[in-house]
Amino acid sequence: MRFATFLMAVGLGVGGAASPCAAQSHEIDLSTQALAVPGRTFYIRQVLDGRPVRAGIGTVRRGMANVPQRADLKPTVTLALQALLTQQLPAQPTDQPVLAVVRALHVQEDLTFTTEQATDEVALDFYLLDAQGNAHFAGSTHETVQSKGLETTGRHPRQLAQALQACLVQLAGTDWAAVAAQPGHPVAELPAARPVARQAYPVLTDSVRPAGFYRTFLDFRNNTPVASPALVVVPERVFGKGWGGVSTYTPYLQEPDGRRGAQLRGAWGFSDGRQVYLLHRKRYWQLARQGDTFGFVGPSVADAGAVSTGAVLGGLAGAALASASTSGRPTDYTLSLLTGRVSTLAEDDYVTTPDTVLLHIYCRKSSLGTKPEPVYLNEKLVGQLSENQLLTISYTEHVGEMHLRLGTRKDRELVFQPDFLHPIYVKVVRYPDDETRPPMELVSAQVGTFDLRVIKPRAAGE
């Protein structure tokens, strides 16, 4: 929501409007989206999650105060993508079976005092599956879709589908015979493996850094700048607290006689033959190698909450003042060589999640009989439950979804992705009119703690 909404909501109170949004994640539903891949010769048999951190898919801004809220795919990343791909791109008689490994799937909303920008990115590795179950690398793809508007949260389903479709289209002309000739890999190793293409990015492997400008991020990653005309680079120190030694750089086109010409505009970045520079917030900043990627120090963005409050109190002028007063501080940024996204080290993909999360499974009175029923977690028996009982499990597995089952029916599993940021509460329920639904459901921490306080369950086994 933007400043106009805030002016209408002064009487309601900004803080009160913001608090409900922070309670749980925002679920993005892809089930109504459409995909089209002309000339398709493949179908996606399986989707695996190979992201380094799988807690959420980014951040949206919710409510009148634009409160940051974690976003998730409904019900999980792999299940949502598999369902969409199976429905929209069903297997044809001559199609090749392909496995897709998700390397990045991210949503983001950036604010100014007048608008929002929604960014959705998808990066996938594709593998051809042979008759023996081995996976042969077929290619890496990525796509980013952006749009601006007054309120952009509702755009993410469509934009994620557009990014996914663009990745799939890149696979349409694949020579499958050539792919099958490549070495095979065990499927179980793929999610945790380093992306195959990243190992060969020229910007990481080439010993020479040619001078010139990069029209796009891919030009940078491929180490292929435009060499002519040559550039003249002028540094300018950044002054202020914490900025010691940092400069911005302005590139100019060099005239045939060696004089400085017009300023270079519209380029993603440039190289002076030794160092490389990236355009960020209308200025060029020097990149430094950081392992398998690059980073730089640049200015922070405006605090969304301050901008929102400024809009309430002072309209456009107040929002602008709040934006100026809360931005511009020196901040560490990292460039993703997978997608080209620039992010701070404090953002989702760089947060270290706890090693353990507590899973509380409980049963209220009459949900089950007095006869205990077995509880299975990822096909392992972890305990039994009957009415008024609680089963608490310490869970440490970061790879893949959690498959939870009550009883022996495997078709009624509760499948979800744990986020390792908060305890998980699962309530045993009965659906007498729908035997296809799992007899358990995820509930919020608020509901779970209330239920456990009210029913005072016995620990399983008592």
Side-chain angles (χ1 to χ4, degrees), residues 203 207-214 220 223 225 231 233 235 247-249 251 268-278 284-290 293-296:
V203 73
S207 58
V208 176
R209 189 83 63 204
F213 62 91
Y214 309 108
F220 166 75
N223 198 29
L231 301 177
V233 180
S247 296
T248 61
Y249 298 83
W268 182 91
F270 68 92
S271 166
D272 62 10
R274 300 181 304 277
Q275 304 292 335
V276 288
Y277 306 84
L278 165 146
Y284 286 94
W285 306 85
Q286 182 177 319
L287 291 171
R289 179 78 175 264
Q290 295 178 345
T293 187
F294 291 81
F296 66 99

Side-chain angles (χ1 to χ4, degrees), residues 376-380 395 397 401-405 413:
Y376 294 89
L377 176 59
N378 296 343
E379 296 298 326
K380 295 180 180 179
Y395 189 75
E397 179 58 63
E401 296 98 352
M402 186 180 287
H403 293 251
L404 195 60
R405 187 171 83 246
E413 287 186 334

Side-chain angles (χ1 to χ4, degrees), residues 117-431:
Q117 176 172 277
T119 301
D120 295 78
E121 65 181 21
V122 175
L124 301 171
D125 282 354
F126 292 108
Y127 292 82
L128 173 67
L129 294 172
D130 63 24
Q132 290 72 42
N134 296 313
H136 304 262
F137 180 66
S140 289
T141 63
H142 83 273
E143 186 66 29
T144 299
V145 178
Q146 294 181 318
S147 67
K148 292 183 178 180
L150 297 180
E151 171 58 40
T152 60
T153 299
R155 301 184 182 190
H156 291 297
R158 182 179 71 254
Q159 292 190 180
L160 278 174
Q162 290 173 344
L164 176 62
Q165 178 175 282
C167 290
L168 294 164
V169 167
Q170 297 177 51
L171 199 64
T174 301
D175 182 345
W176 297 112
V179 171
Q182 301 296 319
H185 305 272
V187 171
E189 297 178 0
L190 298 182
R194 186 183 182 197
V196 174
R198 185 181 300 177
Q199 303 174 27
Y201 291 153
V203 73
L204 296 176
T205 60
D206 290 354
S207 58
V208 176
R209 189 83 63 204
F213 62 91
Y214 309 108
R215 292 165 297 188
T216 66
F217 160 68
L218 290 181
D219 286 345
F220 166 75
R221 197 172 72 178
N222 293 330
N223 198 29
T224 55
V226 177
S228 180
L231 301 177
V232 176
V233 180
V234 178
E236 180 180 348
R237 288 286 298 274
V238 180
F239 294 98
K241 184 177 181 180
W243 285 102
V246 176
S247 296
T248 61
Y249 298 83
T250 304
Y252 296 88
L253 301 177
Q254 188 178 65
E255 300 289 354
D257 60 5
R259 291 185 302 174
R260 189 171 79 187
Q263 185 175 333
L264 175 68
R265 298 188 183 279
W268 182 91
F270 68 92
S271 166
D272 62 10
R274 300 181 304 277
Q275 304 292 335
V276 288
Y277 306 84
L278 165 146
L279 182 66
H280 178 70
R281 300 191 69 193
K282 301 181 180 180
R283 303 300 300 270
Y284 286 94
W285 306 85
Q286 182 177 319
L287 291 171
R289 179 78 175 264
Q290 295 178 345
D292 285 345
T293 187
F294 291 81
F296 66 99
V297 176
S300 62
V301 298
D303 178 79
V307 172
S308 299
T309 303
V312 172
L313 300 177
L316 279 173
L321 181 61
S323 176
S325 64
T326 60
S327 62
R329 300 186 180 94
T331 301
D332 290 322
Y333 289 91
T334 293
L335 170 68
S336 168
L337 287 187
L338 197 62
T339 64
R341 178 164 59 95
V342 170
S343 59
T344 66
L345 296 178
E347 289 183 354
D348 303 35
D349 289 350
Y350 302 97
V351 174
T352 301
T353 57
D355 290 334
T356 303
V357 65
L358 290 180
L359 170 63
H360 303 292
I361 310 168
Y362 66 93
C363 177
R364 298 187 64 168
K365 190 174 182 179
S366 299
S367 294
L368 288 175
T370 56
K371 181 180 179 181
E373 290 201 32
V375 178
Y376 294 89
L377 176 59
N378 296 343
E379 296 298 326
K380 295 180 180 179
L381 180 65
V382 292
Q384 294 181 320
L385 271 182
S386 60
E387 62 181 30
N388 270 342
Q389 282 195 328
L390 166 69
L391 179 63
T392 297
I393 300 167
S394 296
Y395 189 75
T396 59
E397 179 58 63
H398 281 252
V399 178
E401 296 98 352
M402 186 180 287
H403 293 251
L404 195 60
R405 187 171 83 246
L406 185 67
T408 57
R409 286 185 55 177
K410 295 185 178 181
D411 61 329
R412 300 181 66 192
E413 287 186 334
L414 178 65
V415 183
F416 58 94
Q417 180 72 58
D419 66 10
F420 284 81
L421 302 177
H422 308 284
I424 301 168
Y425 293 85
V426 174
K427 179 180 179 179
V428 175
V429 293
R430 289 297 192 189
Y431 300 103

